[in-house]
Amino acid sequence: MLNEDLNSNLNKNYTFANYIKGDFNKEIISFSELFVNDDKIKILSFYGDVGTGKTHLLHAIGNKFSELFPNKRVIFVSSEDIIREFYSFIDNQLEILEIQNNLLNYDLILFDDFQYLCKKEKAEEIFFNFIENLFSNSKSKIVLTYDEPLPSLEQKIKKRVFSRITSGINCEIKTPDIKTLKLIAKQKFVDANDTVQLTNEATEFLANRALGDIRRLGGMITKIIYKLLDNPAGENIVTLEYLSSIFNNAEPVPKNYRFDVNPNVVVENVCTYYNTLPKEVISKNRKKNISYVRDICVYVLKKKLQISYEEIGEILGSRNHSTISNSFKKVERMIKLDEDLKKKLTDFINKI
């Protein structure tokens, strides 16, 4: 993850062009464009609730920077990924220094969910020495996202780090209103399948059901697109009646399952949250980021549905009992060390 060349780990689909502008985010869009074009501004940070489009904007900044400065290096860093890397080498200072030095070679560093780097007591010195070195590097521009206001974050991080953050531009992404969510819904359908049309009533339905969460909206649209692909009639107009048949009626559950929630919906929800395709999780792909999401799926399926490892294995591509058991135990070990992950998964399970 931290050894990517140039800008290869940026999501090219997340750009300013398809980032819908509304009252909730117009200020941070202006600041982001200023940040990209002004080399004197070294730090940009913004916060907002889950599903307000922070990750999209982060990639959009990286993609615009790469477009303007093609010879400069950009890296997107998930704080959860870097935490896992640090924990992997917690007793190996040379490996940790190599990770730090590698990051310092980038011209623009995009940190997603920065708050997770601020809550790890067991590795506090490692993280904060790294962050302070990063902020002291005159070459690098840094963008941070987090999910709580600055006053709340201030209580959880060292004063020097907080001082560094507040020396740059800080801004909030507010919760999008219904009008903006309707525009986002239409844009997401264009991005996913430009032959599909939404009626006004269907757009209104999706915007209200999203509850202000863009990520939730994206998950619903992904589900609709999959349903349309399975429709032999080739339906390309999404009506309110069609949506009601998908979201208001209980989905069919295979007879051999003993629960009310369709396991495929659980997997879709986890994959949507981690910006991963379900087919990658079910495949034989062993990349670290895919394996991590697969492990999370195992844990959530087990906790939510209380089913056997064999049944979970069948859901996730016919994997054996031992593989699924190891995945579940791996996540159990992770949440013992990571209270934030534990809380996130508990909340996630309760909401499904």
Side-chain angles (χ1 to χ4, degrees):
M1 186 275 300
L2 299 180
N3 293 312
E4 299 282 351
D5 292 329
L6 287 177
N7 314 315
S8 58
N9 72 337
L10 287 174
N11 188 330
K12 303 300 182 184
N13 295 320
Y14 289 163
T15 66
F16 281 116
N18 61 14
Y19 187 65
I20 300 297
K21 185 175 182 179
D23 290 339
F24 79 108
N25 65 2
K26 62 183 180 182
E27 185 178 46
I28 185 57
I29 291 175
S30 297
F31 283 140
S32 298
E33 292 172 342
L34 176 65
F35 171 83
V36 168
N37 286 282
D38 191 338
D39 192 54
K40 296 189 293 296
I41 304 173
K42 295 296 184 182
I43 301 172
L44 170 68
S45 65
F46 50 93
Y47 69 92
D49 288 336
V50 171
T52 51
K54 299 188 297 294
T55 301
H56 184 143
L57 180 58
L58 204 57
H59 283 281
I61 291 169
N63 284 319
K64 188 63 177 179
F65 187 86
S66 296
E67 178 187 327
L68 294 174
F69 310 105
N71 294 324
K72 292 191 175 183
R73 307 183 75 207
V74 181
I75 187 168
F76 171 87
V77 180
S78 162
S79 293
E80 289 181 320
D81 286 343
I82 198 172
I83 286 168
R84 286 199 299 275
E85 295 230 3
F86 275 135
Y87 274 124
S88 298
F89 303 115
I90 198 165
D91 296 321
N92 189 330
Q93 292 298 315
L94 289 178
E95 289 284 357
I96 289 172
L97 284 173
E98 184 177 347
I99 293 171
Q100 294 178 1
N101 291 334
N102 182 49
L103 275 177
L104 291 172
N105 288 324
Y106 286 87
D107 300 282
L108 176 61
I109 306 169
L110 308 167
F111 270 112
D112 202 12
D113 289 325
F114 175 73
Q115 72 276 359
Y116 294 125
L117 287 179
C118 309
K119 303 176 183 178
K120 305 298 164 192
E121 294 181 6
K122 292 180 182 294
E124 183 179 38
E125 286 306 314
I126 294 175
F127 294 136
F128 287 125
N129 287 339
F130 160 65
I131 291 166
E132 288 178 9
N133 288 337
L134 185 65
F135 285 169
S136 298
N137 179 18
S138 60
K139 171 186 175 181
S140 302
K141 289 169 73 74
I142 304 161
V143 186
L144 310 171
T145 75
Y146 39 94
D147 62 3
E148 51 194 302
L150 277 177
S152 174
L153 194 67
E154 183 180 11
Q155 307 304 315
K156 301 171 183 177
I157 63 178
K158 290 189 174 182
K159 288 183 179 179
R160 285 180 293 175
V161 177
F162 184 76
S163 176
R164 291 285 186 182
I165 293 174
T166 53
S167 69
I169 297 174
N170 317 112
C171 195
E172 176 186 9
I173 301 182
K174 300 178 177 66
T175 301
D177 57 21
I178 294 296
K179 178 182 177 182
T180 305
L181 285 168
K182 287 162 69 174
L183 292 174
I184 293 171
K186 290 178 179 178
Q187 180 63 52
K188 284 186 175 294
F189 266 100
V190 170
D191 293 342
N193 187 337
D194 59 8
T195 66
V196 175
Q197 297 179 13
L198 280 173
T199 65
N200 291 335
E201 293 83 2
T203 306
E204 188 85 26
F205 175 92
L206 289 172
N208 280 284
R209 194 179 177 94
L211 303 175
D213 188 330
I214 297 171
R215 185 175 292 166
R216 177 184 173 92
L217 178 63
M220 290 191 293
I221 290 170
T222 298
K223 183 176 179 179
I224 294 165
I225 295 297
Y226 283 151
K227 290 284 186 181
L228 290 172
L229 290 174
D230 289 336
N231 184 353
E235 187 71 51
N236 66 350
I237 298 178
V238 177
T239 64
L240 179 59
E241 291 74 22
Y242 183 75
L243 294 184
S244 297
S245 72
I246 296 175
F247 293 106
N248 286 355
N249 299 331
E251 295 196 41
V253 179
K255 293 180 180 179
N256 59 319
Y257 291 121
R258 307 177 304 280
F259 41 85
D260 296 326
V261 180
N262 190 321
N264 296 320
V265 174
V266 175
V267 174
E268 281 181 20
N269 273 271
V270 174
C271 289
T272 297
Y273 184 84
Y274 285 101
N275 196 29
T276 303
L277 294 174
K279 67 180 182 181
E280 292 181 328
V281 168
I282 295 170
S283 74
K284 302 301 181 184
N285 191 326
R286 294 185 179 182
K287 289 183 179 179
K288 185 183 294 185
N289 61 319
I290 302 299
S291 295
Y292 176 75
V293 177
R294 188 180 296 126
D295 292 341
I296 297 296
C297 284
V298 169
Y299 182 84
V300 174
L301 284 166
K302 182 67 175 174
K303 287 292 187 178
K304 180 68 180 180
L305 307 180
Q306 297 297 310
I307 55 178
S308 69
Y309 292 137
E310 287 82 0
E311 288 172 308
I312 296 174
E314 285 301 312
I315 294 165
L316 297 177
S318 300
R319 287 176 161 79
N320 62 43
H321 173 283
S322 176
T323 299
I324 299 300
S325 174
N326 288 337
S327 290
F328 181 81
K329 291 173 182 176
K330 186 189 301 181
V331 177
E332 282 199 316
R333 290 193 297 270
M334 288 165 57
I335 63 176
K336 286 180 181 178
L337 296 170
D338 191 337
E339 282 296 323
D340 295 312
L341 178 60
K342 181 179 180 180
K343 181 179 183 301
K344 178 191 292 184
L345 293 182
T346 300
D347 291 345
F348 194 86
I349 289 165
N350 291 335
K351 288 178 181 178
I352 295 177

